[in-house]
């Protein structure tokens, strides 16, 4: 570990991510598991983006936001999983600038995702509760503005926390009890920390988590109320199917985020927080493309069509090879 002297203090220049230290005997199994998850996550989300771009019938506001979400998940997973894989091979050290950059991108992408999920719930609200106004309200221009606004909001807001993080110094224990550089575990080992940084983190978490959560909650309250008023069971099922995938993702994501960042965080809960963190950092990016593809008729049809075209391209080549062998 590299160190430097500053006055009478030894200032750390590297930190150690403990990762899943309680399961050291399972490092090989965990490495293979997380490697498979990373590959599937990247493949699934990239497939969603490619399908939305390539298929004209998917050029709608709902799929535009879904493509943004899938694009975000590829960056999100690439911020967390490669370092986890490196840690499982023994490379647990991370430089302090590297730790700050990892936290910045992680937190910025979380805020961006919260914005996108809120926008997607608003999109479903307009589609179900005000269907006659959907085309005029959800215009291409408005969709683009909302998507760009979500990305800018996440990265600009987290610039403040990134600056505050650069002011921290680390002169004591340098082991972070987590598998990535999250706010609370890093603040716990900072010798310059006087709880103001952690308090600012809590305020930011509350300010930027609750408004999109409340917007999402209100949208689904109106959606469910409207669906219950539909007289036929078939109509209710059809209406609910258009938003059920999004509701599943929102429930998993928000429940774990609120537990970790908004609720009181006593010492006993900190060990469980690492488990909850696995859900929103690793499992949610993996589940998103599966949920949206398996429960969405348009996406499944687009996948079938694409696979059919690939087979049609491959079969003539196989026939040409067979004919050439016969000759």
């Amino acid at each position: 570990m590299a160190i430097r002297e500053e006055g009478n203090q030894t200032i750390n220049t590297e930190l150690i991510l403990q990762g899943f230290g309680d399961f050291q005997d399972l490092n090989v199994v965990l490495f293979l598991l997380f490697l498979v998850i990373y590959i599937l996550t990247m493949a699934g989300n990239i497939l969603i983006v490619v399908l939305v771009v390539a298929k004209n019938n998917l050029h709608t506001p709902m799929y535009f936001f879904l493509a943004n979400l899938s694009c975000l998940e590829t960056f999100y997973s690439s911020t967390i999983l490669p370092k986890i894989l490196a840690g499982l091979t023994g490379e647990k050290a991370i430089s302090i600038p590297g730790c700050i950059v990892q936290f910045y991108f992680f937190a910025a992408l979380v805020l961006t995702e919260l914005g996108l999920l809120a926008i997607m719930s608003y999109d479903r609200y307009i589609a179900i509760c005000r269907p006659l106004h959907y085309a005029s309200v959800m215009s291409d221009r408005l969709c683009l503005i909302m998507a760009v606004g979500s990305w800018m909001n996440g990265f600009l807001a987290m610039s403040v926390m990134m600056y505050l993080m650069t002011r921290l110094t680390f002169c004591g224990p340098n082991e972070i009890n987590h598998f990535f550089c999250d706010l609370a575990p890093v603040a716990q080992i900072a010798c310059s920390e006087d709880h103001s940084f952690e308090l600012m983190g809590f305020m930011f978490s509350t300010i930027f988590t609750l408004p999109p959560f409340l917007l999402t909650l209100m949208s689904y309250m109106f959606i469910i109320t409207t669906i219950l008023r539909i007289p036929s069971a078939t109509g209710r099922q059809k209406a609910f199917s258009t938003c059920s995938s999004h509701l599943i993702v929102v429930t998993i994501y928000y429940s774990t985020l609120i537990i970790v960042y908004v609720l009181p965080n006593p010492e006993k809960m900190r060990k469980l927080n690492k488990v909850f963190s696995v859900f929103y950092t690793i499992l949610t990016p993996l589940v998103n493309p599966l949920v949206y593809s398996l429960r969405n008729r348009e996406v499944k049809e687009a996948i079938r069509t694409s696979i059919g075209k690939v087979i049609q391209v491959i079969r003539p080549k196989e026939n040409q090879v067979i004919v050439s062998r016969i000759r």
Side-chain angles (χ1 to χ4, degrees):
M1 179 188 68
I3 57 176
R4 64 182 175 87
E5 297 291 336
E6 185 172 297
N8 295 324
Q9 290 184 330
T10 301
I11 305 300
N12 299 320
T13 59
E14 283 187 344
L15 303 175
I16 305 296
L17 291 169
Q18 291 184 356
F20 302 94
D22 298 335
F23 304 96
Q24 289 184 358
D25 296 338
L26 300 175
N27 273 4
V28 175
V29 176
L30 289 175
F31 179 86
L32 294 174
L33 175 63
F34 287 127
L35 179 61
V36 171
I37 288 175
Y38 186 42
I39 293 171
L40 292 177
T41 300
M42 296 297 287
N45 283 290
I46 290 172
L47 176 62
I48 294 290
V49 174
V50 170
L51 287 175
V52 172
V53 172
K55 299 296 181 180
N56 291 330
N57 63 313
L58 299 183
H59 291 178
T60 63
M62 182 175 72
Y63 294 109
F64 170 71
F65 296 127
L66 176 57
N68 272 268
L69 183 62
S70 294
C71 184
L72 180 145
E73 299 291 21
T74 61
F75 298 133
Y76 194 44
S77 297
S78 297
T79 301
I80 304 294
L81 276 166
K83 192 57 188 175
I84 292 177
L85 294 173
L88 291 170
T89 63
E91 296 293 331
K92 296 179 179 291
I94 183 171
S95 66
I96 290 176
C99 186
I100 294 172
V101 169
Q102 186 191 49
F103 168 75
Y104 172 69
F105 279 100
F106 156 75
L109 290 170
V110 167
L111 293 188
T112 303
E113 182 157 2
L114 295 178
L116 288 174
L117 290 175
I119 292 169
M120 292 172 75
S121 67
Y122 177 72
D123 171 75
R124 292 300 84 203
Y125 159 73
I126 298 296
I128 294 173
C129 301
R130 301 177 61 190
L132 298 179
H133 300 87
Y134 184 78
S136 58
V137 173
M138 301 302 294
S139 63
D140 292 344
R141 183 173 179 272
L142 179 62
C143 291
L144 182 61
I145 290 173
M146 289 193 294
V148 172
S150 294
W151 287 89
M152 291 182 62
N153 174 68
F155 282 88
L156 290 177
M158 275 301 108
S159 297
V160 178
M161 289 304 299
M162 184 181 182
Y163 170 74
L164 293 176
M165 204 170 188
T166 61
R167 309 294 295 175
L168 299 177
T169 55
F170 303 88
C171 55
N174 68 329
E175 293 189 350
I176 301 174
N177 185 23
H178 216 313
F179 53 84
F180 73 100
C181 291
D182 201 2
L183 185 147
V186 170
Q188 288 169 19
I189 65 169
C191 58
S192 60
E193 168 60 7
D194 59 357
H195 299 294
S196 60
F197 175 73
E198 205 164 354
L199 178 61
M200 283 292 295
F202 174 77
M203 291 174 59
F204 265 68
S205 300
T206 305
I207 291 171
F208 289 101
T209 299
L210 288 182
F213 172 72
L214 293 176
L215 176 60
T216 304
L217 185 63
M218 288 178 59
S219 296
Y220 274 104
M221 286 175 60
F222 286 115
I223 288 170
I224 292 171
T225 302
T226 302
I227 290 175
L228 292 176
R229 291 175 181 170
I230 299 175
S232 67
T234 304
R236 288 195 296 270
Q237 184 178 1
K238 184 177 180 181
F240 186 72
S241 66
T242 64
C243 61
S244 58
S245 301
H246 182 254
L247 185 58
I248 291 171
V249 172
V250 166
T251 303
I252 296 172
Y253 197 68
Y254 268 108
S255 58
T256 52
L257 274 182
I258 290 173
I259 289 172
V260 174
Y261 293 104
V262 178
L263 294 182
N265 192 16
E267 186 64 30
K268 292 181 179 179
M269 281 294 295
R270 288 180 178 176
K271 293 182 179 180
L272 289 176
N273 281 352
K274 191 186 292 188
V275 177
F276 289 125
S277 298
V278 171
F279 283 90
Y280 64 81
T281 58
I282 298 172
L283 296 183
T284 301
L286 171 66
V287 168
N288 278 358
L290 294 176
V291 168
Y292 283 111
S293 60
L294 294 178
R295 298 181 61 87
N296 193 293
R297 181 176 57 82
E298 288 86 355
V299 174
K300 287 192 289 186
E301 185 60 33
I303 292 174
R304 288 196 202 99
T305 304
S306 300
I307 292 174
K309 289 182 178 180
V310 171
I311 292 173
Q312 288 177 1
V313 171
I314 293 174
R315 279 180 177 174
K317 292 182 179 179
E318 291 177 347
N319 293 336
Q320 289 175 6
V321 171
I322 293 171
V323 171
S324 62
R325 287 178 179 175
I326 294 174
R327 289 178 179 176

